[in-house]
Amino acid sequence: MAMMTALTACSTSSIMATIKRVLLLRAPRDDSEQDPYQQLFAEKGLDTTSISPLSFEFINLESLYSHITHPEQFSGLVFSSARTVQAVEKCVRKFSSLEEWQEGRGKDWAALPTYTVGTATAVAARELGLTALGEDSGSAVNLVKVIKEGIAPGSKPLLIPRGELAREELPRGLRQAGISYEVDTVYQTICSPTLVENVDRYFNMAVPDVIVFFSPSGVRFSAEVLKRLNTSNTTFISIGPTTTAAMEEQGYSVTATASKPNPEMLMKTLLELTDKVS
């Protein structure tokens, strides 16, 4: 790819002179000034846009509420995304109130470990008053290692709210470790109804130097949309190995994979592109 040739000739210190525009396929925060990706990338002089390929519908909140009102039955919580934390908050607001929960059952949950993947998930959990651990694990597989340090086989089950497209690495790792768990499927993933419109509007203004995929489902829902467009000079980056695998299945050439889902690691990955392609 033309972009890869250009990057090979660069030094790491000059890579930001080569990369001007970055498209992040993720849901931005409502307040862009508080969005950690937008903040960090703007500081580095990058023209960065976030477009979500996904939309979500929360489901089974009654079942989730019946579980989170009984923390004494569990040894802790596991969140693989900020969306799953949002499901807990949503069901609390629907069937009770956040203030009542934080003064009651929320304190009981705060005394138990809450295991999270990624900084955004950990931040969301802490905002709910929970004790977040494992945010630097980077993947569900690595999070199992963290959980094994704190939860012994034969303990009460962990409560795992998750989406219907969740992969099986986490449950499989817990089973192999002899750690019991209970799953609540709390949201389903659909294609964003504004994806085509938003992507077309973006490409009408500029072609990105880099496109970053954040999840396998994001790859699945946006692949056909992007294949209509000219991305021959665009570099593709993934967040995590499962996203890389999904991209490769769709025929993308993945130049680099950020090992952890946070802005700092993604920026570090961009800075290391020269070494990866040289």
Side-chain angles (χ1 to χ4, degrees), residues 3-4 39 47 65 81 88 95 122 138 165 167 191 233 253 269:
M3 176 59 72
M4 294 176 66
Q39 283 183 324
D47 181 352
Y65 188 70
S81 69
V88 170
F95 298 108
L165 297 180
R167 300 173 70 91
C191 183
N233 291 324
S253 176
T269 301

Side-chain angles (χ1 to χ4, degrees), residues 16-271:
M16 289 309 168
T18 303
I19 298 175
K20 297 292 187 182
R21 298 182 181 89
V22 179
L23 174 59
L24 307 178
L25 292 174
R26 59 178 284 272
R29 287 195 178 186
D30 293 336
D31 184 354
S32 61
E33 293 184 357
Q34 297 299 317
D35 188 299
Y37 286 90
Q38 298 291 148
Q39 283 183 324
L40 179 59
F41 282 52
E43 290 172 3
K44 300 299 182 181
L46 294 174
D47 181 352
T48 306
T49 299
S50 294
I51 296 176
S52 177
L54 309 174
S55 185
F56 303 92
E57 295 179 346
F58 291 103
I59 57 176
N60 301 327
L61 295 185
E62 295 88 348
S63 175
L64 176 61
Y65 188 70
S66 70
H67 287 146
I68 64 170
T69 52
H70 291 285
E72 72 281 357
Q73 297 178 1
F74 299 94
S75 60
L77 280 160
V78 182
F79 293 118
S80 58
S81 69
R83 191 73 54 186
T84 54
V85 183
Q86 187 180 355
V88 170
E89 180 178 354
K90 189 173 184 67
C91 83
V92 167
R93 292 184 183 277
K94 180 177 181 179
F95 298 108
S96 178
S97 72
L98 188 60
E99 294 76 14
E100 181 181 343
W101 188 77
Q102 288 178 331
E103 288 301 317
R105 296 304 188 188
K107 289 184 176 180
D108 295 330
W109 280 112
L112 299 173
T114 295
Y115 298 98
T116 63
V117 177
T119 302
T121 309
V123 169
R126 292 187 182 111
E127 289 176 349
L128 201 56
L130 301 172
T131 305
L133 305 171
E135 64 188 278
D136 294 327
S137 57
S139 69
V141 173
N142 290 334
L143 186 62
V144 171
K145 300 175 184 177
V146 178
I147 293 172
K148 288 166 61 177
E149 295 176 358
I151 306 296
S155 299
K156 295 177 183 178
L158 291 164
L159 178 60
I160 309 178
R162 67 175 190 171
E164 95 285 13
L165 297 180
R167 300 173 70 91
E168 291 302 311
E169 286 89 348
L170 177 62
R172 182 166 53 246
L174 293 176
R175 287 195 300 270
Q176 292 172 349
I179 298 173
S180 62
Y181 60 88
E182 185 156 354
V183 168
D184 273 328
T185 301
V186 295
Y187 70 85
Q188 55 189 8
T189 306
I190 60 176
C191 183
S192 169
T194 60
L195 175 61
V196 173
E197 176 186 351
N198 290 339
V199 169
D200 285 350
R201 183 187 300 115
Y202 177 85
F203 271 78
N204 284 337
M205 294 186 295
V207 176
D209 299 312
V210 175
I211 295 178
V212 184
F213 286 94
F214 279 69
S215 68
S217 54
V219 174
R220 179 159 66 91
F221 286 121
S222 59
E224 293 304 318
V225 177
L226 291 174
K227 286 176 181 177
R228 301 179 298 109
L229 304 167
N230 180 12
T231 57
S232 59
N233 291 324
T234 298
T235 295
F236 292 93
I237 294 178
S238 70
I239 302 292
T242 57
T243 304
T244 296
M247 291 172 67
E248 291 173 344
E249 289 175 3
Q250 291 288 341
Y252 289 105
S253 176
V254 183
T255 300
T257 299
S259 61
K260 296 178 181 179
N262 61 55
E264 293 75 22
M265 184 56 68
L266 179 55
M267 180 59 67
K268 183 172 184 284
T269 301
L270 282 171
L271 292 170

